[in-house]
Amino acid sequence: MKRIIASALIAASPAAAADFSEGSTAKSWNLYAEAPAFFEAKVVDITCEVTGDCPDNCGDGNRQLGLLRAADGVLVFPNKNAQSGFQGATVDLLPFCGKSVEVDGLLIEDEDIKGASNIYQVQTIREAGTEDWTKANTWSKVWAAKYPEAKGKGPWFRRDPRVNAHLAETGHFGLGLEKDAELIKELFE
C-alpha cells in the first residue's frame, strides 16, 4: 500500500505536470497559478483509490471524488465546481461515478506552494464519447431539494440545518457557548 501511495504522490508532483490547455474553453477566475485544463479521466472515489475501501456508487456523495487522468494516471483533486460560492464538485461528478469523462476547467499548479498540485475547478463535464456537456453548477439545486425547510434569502450556509446545529452545539468560535458569550461581550460591548 505504501508503494502505491508513494507512486501516486510522485506522479502527482509538479515535475510530472503537463499542459492540458489545448481544447479548453474554461473561463478564467483570475486565480493565482490557474491554467485552463481539458482532459479525459475516470471519476473515482479518492478514499477507494488510496485505501481500497470502496463502497457502491462512490459512497453516494458522502466522499470526496477525484479524477484519475487518462493521459498520465495522476489523481486530480476536483475540489470546486463552477459556482461562485463555497461548493465542492462531488454533486456534479457523482452521476459519472466509475465512468470515463471529459472535463474542462481550471487546474492549479504551483511548485512553490505546498499542496498546490493538481487542484481542479471543474466547469463542465461530459461522458467520454458523447457530445452534450453538463455545467458543473448543480450543487445549490441539490442542496435546496434536500433542505426545503431552509428556503429563504441570504447565503445558503446561514440557513443550512447542519451548520446551524453545529453552531448551536459549539458556538461561532468553536469553543463552546459559554466562551462565545465571553468573547462577544469582550469584543463587542
Side-chain angles (χ1 to χ4, degrees):
M1 178 56 69
K2 290 180 182 176
R3 285 185 181 155
I4 293 171
I5 293 171
S7 297
L9 292 174
I10 290 168
S13 71
D19 181 10
F20 292 97
S21 62
E22 186 176 333
S24 178
T25 59
K27 294 178 181 156
S28 173
W29 278 31
N30 295 314
L31 301 172
Y32 179 75
E34 79 175 28
F38 171 81
F39 56 89
E40 188 172 332
K42 180 180 178 184
V43 176
V44 297
D45 171 346
I46 292 177
T47 302
C48 171
E49 288 298 307
V50 174
T51 69
D53 175 15
C54 305
D56 292 337
N57 194 38
C58 294
D60 289 325
N62 294 317
R63 292 185 168 194
Q64 181 62 51
L65 300 184
L67 298 166
L68 192 57
R69 201 162 48 205
D72 54 12
V74 168
L75 183 58
V76 177
F77 178 37
N79 67 343
K80 184 74 189 89
N81 71 356
Q83 293 177 279
S84 60
F86 297 103
Q87 295 93 354
T90 297
V91 168
D92 298 292
L93 294 172
L94 189 59
F96 301 96
C97 170
K99 296 179 181 176
S100 290
V101 296
E102 292 179 322
V103 291
D104 197 6
L106 301 173
L107 187 65
I108 305 295
E109 285 284 346
D110 190 326
E111 62 187 54
D112 294 328
I113 299 176
K114 185 176 180 178
S117 181
N118 294 303
I119 305 296
Y120 195 64
Q121 185 247 355
V122 61
Q123 293 182 3
T124 56
I125 185 169
R126 68 179 174 194
E127 194 167 347
T130 64
E131 295 292 320
D132 296 329
W133 285 98
T134 300
K135 290 183 180 179
N137 63 1
T138 60
W139 190 93
S140 295
K141 291 175 188 167
V142 171
W143 178 86
K146 189 172 182 177
Y147 301 106
E149 74 280 7
K151 188 176 183 176
K153 293 184 178 187
W156 66 270
F157 52 86
R158 300 254 189 244
R159 303 182 319 272
D160 189 294
R162 299 165 301 171
V163 172
N164 290 330
H166 186 73
L167 291 175
E169 183 180 318
T170 67
H172 285 84
F173 299 110
L175 303 171
L177 299 177
E178 280 185 35
K179 191 66 174 172
D180 256 19
E182 290 174 26
L183 287 170
I184 289 169
K185 184 175 182 177
E186 182 181 322
L187 294 171
F188 302 109
E189 293 179 5

